[in-house]
Amino acid sequence: MRRSTFIWASILILAGLLLLLNNIGLIAVDVWGLIWPLFLIAFGGSILWGVFFGRPSFEAERVAIPLEGTARARVLVKHAAGRLRVDASATSGELVTGTFSGGLDHRERRDGDALDVEMRVPGRAFPGFAWPWMWGPGRTLDWTFGLNAEIPLSLEFETGAGEARLNLSDLHVTDLRLKTGASATDLTLPAHAGH
């Protein structure tokens, strides 16, 4: 990241220097005509730098959220850019079982036999991912997890730019909300929702 910051700082200094020399009459060049090409070259170079020399891949974290007597659950999934795959593969006795590349921050709140879970991308993962030099293989936020098919679920998904495959066909979903950004979403609705 330090080298990429150096690239952007160099571009800004060079552009400022060219503007100064042009304004005081030492050179006669269309500086504004150079700014956009310099910007595009730096942007593309930053992306390539990230692909070949960027930070190491995100670590994958294995997470399981136990049911512990839960009879119904509400699950809110806030996923940023990357890949999201959800199905009914949670093991018996667990609400959520899966692998979360880039990590997972989750909060649980119990109210009697109801469980309320919020799952989100950790703050440490998303800011770095937003920079173009962080783009590339192994640096996307890939979440693959299963939900429990034995209890009624209220599901809400908030996804950003990315790809989501939500196979809810074997789940008992009572309520579903989906908010997406610039993304591709493949949604399979429950086969036996009841209504």
Side-chain angles (χ1 to χ4, degrees), residues 3-178:
R3 288 183 189 235
S4 296
T5 304
F6 176 77
I7 290 171
W8 286 105
S10 298
I11 293 295
L12 289 174
I13 290 169
L14 178 62
L17 184 62
L18 288 172
L19 278 170
L20 176 66
L21 293 174
N22 189 50
N23 285 341
I24 61 175
L26 290 178
I27 61 170
V29 71
D30 178 17
V31 176
W32 291 111
L34 292 175
I35 298 291
W36 282 110
L38 285 172
F39 174 78
L40 291 173
I41 290 167
F43 189 72
S46 294
I47 294 171
L48 287 175
W49 182 267
V51 169
F52 294 110
F53 305 107
R55 285 178 22 182
S57 301
F58 286 133
E59 293 293 322
E61 181 179 335
R62 183 93 176 140
V63 175
I65 300 173
L67 280 174
E68 296 176 340
T70 300
R72 57 194 164 88
R74 177 186 168 273
V75 180
L76 169 60
V77 178
K78 294 184 175 184
H79 186 261
R83 290 185 185 90
L84 175 65
R85 292 177 191 87
V86 180
D87 59 21
S89 64
T91 57
S92 183
E94 293 175 345
L95 174 63
V96 175
T97 307
T99 305
F100 301 85
S101 176
L104 170 69
D105 278 346
H106 68 281
R107 295 186 181 133
E108 302 172 35
R109 187 171 51 87
R110 294 187 183 276
D111 183 13
D113 64 353
L115 177 60
D116 195 347
V117 175
E118 180 180 330
M119 304 164 60
R120 66 175 56 231
V121 174
R124 69 182 185 280
F126 187 70
F129 179 76
W131 298 105
W133 50 85
M134 288 301 297
W135 301 349
R139 294 185 189 89
T140 58
L141 302 170
D142 292 346
W143 287 7
T144 302
F145 65 90
L147 294 166
N148 192 296
E150 299 167 0
I151 63 170
L153 299 171
S154 173
L155 302 176
E156 184 171 351
F157 296 95
E158 295 179 10
T159 63
E163 175 188 329
R165 290 189 172 275
L166 310 174
N167 182 0
L168 311 180
S169 60
D170 295 328
L171 294 173
H172 183 84
V173 179
T174 59
D175 186 39
L176 173 64
R177 295 171 196 265
L178 176 63

